[in-house]
Amino acid sequence: MKIFRNLLLSPIFLFLMGISIFVVLPGVGQSLPSPTAWQRGTMIPLFDGKNLNAWYTFIQDRGRNEDPLQVFQVVDGMLQISGEEWGCITTKDPYDNFILKATFRWTGETYGDRKAKARDSGILIHSQGMDGGYNGIWMHGIEVQIIEGGTGDFIVVGDGSTSFGISSPVVHKEPGNARVFDPKGNWERIHGGRINWYGRSPKWSDTIDFRGKQDVEAEVGEWNELEIQAWEGNVAVYLNGKLVNFAKSVRPEFGRIQVQSEGASIAFREIALFPLLKK
């Protein structure tokens, strides 16, 4: 496994807000790939309940390692993210070919213009370019969304170019002809926008405490197990043991990992990375 790679990719500040470029490929209804040809390596404890030594902070309008409000802090063995300011923790090193396991729960408080909206956070993988390259907040990457009713959605937090993109089997559903993951759907490629997890409610609304009929996520205050498997351009997302989303031909295939602060209080008791090694 090549954990460390050169990230000398020039950022392109041409992200088109709300616009997705996609290509439709024939539906195949085939089995999705899995990392069966790989073995799990020794765990890298990105967060082990003790410190944030593997990370640095980046907060909007403050920059790197400036966190006077302690948006990110370790308390009682947990990573507490207040959500009071928008930003992220970012791994000091880039990674490729891994399984990332994160155990999280919502802790209640919401802030600012998201005070009455769905609790929101997320993990970005394969992140490249400048800190704050996207809206002055995050490095560009591929987001696995953590939000009430939508945990497991993919969002391409790209720069408007083909350097960032994913392909997934989808069906289109209301509202808004949204793309929703379905293993029997047609493969579509996007370079911006989102692909919803398979059970996202068509009645989803951006309101606090939202829950859909098929939600896999636990109730607020209860722990959730999120697992992201990433290998050779594939990404599979499991929430509480269920496959909720899948993408292939993911670009880029490597990069840093970011955990967001986005207006809601959230706690992590573990973030562990297992390198995947060819058998």
Side-chain angles (χ1 to χ4, degrees), residues 43-55 73-80 89 100-101 103 267-273:
M43 180 185 72
I44 300 172
L46 295 179
F47 174 67
D48 60 2
K50 298 177 182 179
N51 57 61
L52 295 176
N53 290 348
W55 311 78
Q73 58 179 324
V74 179
V75 180
D76 296 329
M78 292 183 290
L79 166 59
Q80 301 278 6
I89 54 171
L100 183 71
K101 288 193 171 185
T103 307
F268 291 82
R269 66 182 181 193
E270 181 185 40
I271 305 174
L273 184 141

Side-chain angles (χ1 to χ4, degrees), residues 43-71:
M43 180 185 72
I44 300 172
L46 295 179
F47 174 67
D48 60 2
K50 298 177 182 179
N51 57 61
L52 295 176
N53 290 348
W55 311 78
Y56 61 86
T57 64
F58 188 88
I59 295 176
Q60 186 180 29
D61 298 327
R62 295 192 187 278
R64 187 165 174 163
N65 290 328
E66 294 292 337
D67 186 8
L69 300 184
Q70 293 188 300
V71 173

Side-chain angles (χ1 to χ4, degrees), residues 6 22 31 39 46-47 54 61-62 64 67 110 126 132 156 181 183-184 197 199-200 203 209 240 263 265:
N6 193 340
F22 63 92
S31 298
Q39 63 183 7
L46 295 179
F47 174 67
D61 298 327
R62 295 192 187 278
R64 187 165 174 163
D67 186 8
T110 52
H126 303 346
V156 178
F181 165 64
K184 296 181 180 179
W197 75 280
R200 199 181 217 265
K203 296 182 180 180
D209 294 324
N240 295 326
S265 298

Side-chain angles (χ1 to χ4, degrees), residues 48-274:
D48 60 2
K50 298 177 182 179
N51 57 61
L52 295 176
N53 290 348
W55 311 78
Y56 61 86
T57 64
F58 188 88
I59 295 176
Q60 186 180 29
D61 298 327
R62 295 192 187 278
R64 187 165 174 163
N65 290 328
E66 294 292 337
D67 186 8
L69 300 184
Q70 293 188 300
V71 173
F72 303 97
Q73 58 179 324
V74 179
V75 180
D76 296 329
M78 292 183 290
L79 166 59
Q80 301 278 6
I81 302 177
S82 72
E84 188 173 0
E85 293 188 306
W86 286 47
C88 58
I89 54 171
T90 304
T91 56
K92 294 176 181 177
D93 299 316
Y95 300 92
D96 67 355
N97 300 326
F98 58 80
I99 293 175
L100 183 71
K101 288 193 171 185
T103 307
F104 75 91
R105 69 180 180 187
W106 301 111
T107 54
E109 192 69 25
T110 52
Y111 294 91
D113 61 2
R114 295 205 62 79
K115 185 70 177 177
K117 295 182 179 179
R119 295 177 178 88
D120 193 6
S121 183
I123 296 176
L124 285 88
I125 63 171
H126 303 346
S127 304
Q128 298 189 3
M130 289 180 57
D131 292 315
Y134 179 79
N135 279 0
I137 310 172
W138 299 299
M139 190 180 292
H140 294 115
I142 306 300
E143 180 177 351
V144 175
Q145 174 75 298
I146 301 175
I147 190 172
E148 291 181 296
T151 296
D153 292 353
F154 283 125
I155 304 176
V156 178
V157 185
D159 58 11
S161 75
T162 57
S163 296
F164 296 85
I166 63 175
S167 298
S168 295
V170 302
V171 293
H172 287 259
K173 295 184 178 181
E174 295 301 323
N177 203 31
R179 291 182 293 275
V180 179
F181 165 64
D182 185 330
K184 296 181 180 179
N186 289 332
W187 287 89
E188 294 189 9
R189 182 155 190 82
I190 64 170
H191 298 288
R194 72 192 308 131
I195 293 175
N196 293 338
W197 75 280
Y198 77 83
R200 199 181 217 265
S201 173
K203 296 182 180 180
W204 185 86
S205 64
D206 193 6
T207 53
I208 197 166
D209 294 324
F210 181 89
R211 285 193 66 82
K213 290 182 178 180
Q214 296 190 69
D215 275 7
V216 178
E217 186 179 323
E219 299 280 353
V220 172
E222 297 181 6
W223 291 104
N224 294 275
E225 299 287 342
L226 181 66
E227 180 173 312
I228 303 170
Q229 300 177 355
W231 76 102
E232 289 191 324
N234 302 292
V235 178
V237 180
Y238 290 82
L239 179 61
N240 295 326
K242 292 187 178 181
L243 177 68
V244 294
N245 218 335
F246 179 85
K248 69 176 184 179
S249 302
V250 176
R251 298 292 181 272
E253 291 189 12
F254 71 97
R256 301 178 194 268
I257 296 166
Q258 303 172 86
V259 181
Q260 296 175 316
S261 171
E262 202 168 358
S265 298
I266 189 170
F268 291 82
R269 66 182 181 193
E270 181 185 40
I271 305 174
L273 184 141
F274 298 85

